[in-house]
């Protein structure tokens, strides 16, 4: 039973996303921020438990990043809808995620059993996007310095572009040997 706990936490995170989006739509920023923090903690918790309980699985390897992507895409789309983030940034972030998911799926279909390389810049991208969402939601509760928000916005642009280009290059075989992707 304990081997399923990390996957159950990831599923719970996925199930919380509609409530999170609804709270944002209703401009309940305090509650949305609390739920965003809970989802973030659950992301760290499921990974920790998977390693601690030695309960890693192929399902969990796909479910955890899917939950992250759904959470972040929902956050960016809702913040864009509320005009708290520019639409062009939302388009960039969502487009990059569509590219990564599509490329991963294509790699899986063309090379079954071969893992898609996870780039460090992809993890940095996720972190920067989480901080950006947190800050722009938090800015609705307390005014943050405009310069901080501008820095986060442009940092998100830069790492999103670098990450997207990095994955394109990996899939094109420019950054990694074909043998590296299976590790």
């Amino acid at each position: 039973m304990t081997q399923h706990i990390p996957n159950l936490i990831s599923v719970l995170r996925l199930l919380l996303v509609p409530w999170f989006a609804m709270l944002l739509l209703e401009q309940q920023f305090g509650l949305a921020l609390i739920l965003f923090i809970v989802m973030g903690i659950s992301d760290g918790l499921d990974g920790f438990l998977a390693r601690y309980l030695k309960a890693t699985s192929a399902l969990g390897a796909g479910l955890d990043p899917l939950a992250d992507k759904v959470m972040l895409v929902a956050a960016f789309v809702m913040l864009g809808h509320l005009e708290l983030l520019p639409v062009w940034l939302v388009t960039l972030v969502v487009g990059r995620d569509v590219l990564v998911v599509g490329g991963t799926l294509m790699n899986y279909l063309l090379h079954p059993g071969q893992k898609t390389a996870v780039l460090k810049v992809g993890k940095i991208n996720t972190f920067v996007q989480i901080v950006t969402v947190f800050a722009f939601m938090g800015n609705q509760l307390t005014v943050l310095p405009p310069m901080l928000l501008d820095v986060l916005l442009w940092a998100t642009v830069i790492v999103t572009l670098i990450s997207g280009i990095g994955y394109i290059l990996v899939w094109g075989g420019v950054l990694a040997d074909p043998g590296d992707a299976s590790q």
Side-chain angles (χ1 to χ4, degrees):
M1 177 59 184
T2 58
Q3 71 269 20
H4 299 297
I5 292 172
N7 291 345
L8 291 173
I9 293 171
S10 291
V11 169
L12 175 63
R13 191 162 73 250
L14 274 170
L15 293 175
L16 290 175
V17 170
W19 279 281
F20 170 69
M22 185 182 66
L23 289 170
L24 284 176
L25 188 60
E26 294 174 354
Q27 299 186 29
Q28 298 286 327
F29 295 107
L31 293 174
L33 198 54
I34 290 168
L35 193 52
F36 190 71
I37 291 167
V38 167
M39 290 188 298
I41 290 169
S42 76
D43 182 28
L45 182 63
D46 67 7
F48 169 77
L49 287 174
R51 287 184 297 279
Y52 179 75
L53 299 172
K54 295 178 180 37
T56 57
S57 67
L59 176 62
L63 201 53
D64 180 52
L66 175 66
D68 293 343
K69 295 230 175 299
V70 170
M71 177 183 77
L72 281 170
V73 165
F76 273 89
V77 168
M78 294 310 299
L79 291 174
H81 174 74
L82 295 171
E83 299 180 356
L84 301 175
L85 285 174
V87 172
W88 59 263
L89 178 63
V90 173
T91 303
L92 177 67
V93 167
V94 172
R96 181 254 179 215
D97 282 349
V98 168
L99 174 82
V100 170
V101 170
T104 300
L105 181 60
M106 184 68 76
N107 184 56
Y108 176 78
L109 293 173
L110 294 175
H111 308 285
Q114 185 182 54
K115 290 182 182 178
T116 298
V118 177
L119 301 180
K120 286 183 183 167
V121 71
K123 291 181 180 279
I124 293 168
N125 180 59
T126 299
F127 176 76
V128 170
Q129 288 181 359
I130 288 169
V131 172
T132 299
V133 166
F134 186 82
F136 277 82
M137 281 194 302
N139 191 50
Q140 301 309 301
L141 301 171
T142 183
V143 178
L144 297 174
M147 186 174 165
L148 172 66
L149 297 174
D150 286 345
V151 167
L152 286 171
L153 187 140
W154 289 106
T156 301
V157 169
I158 291 166
V159 295
T160 301
L161 286 171
I162 292 171
S163 173
I165 291 167
Y167 279 105
I168 289 170
L169 294 175
V170 165
W171 292 319
V174 174
L175 287 180
D177 298 323
D180 287 348
S182 64
Q183 295 179 8

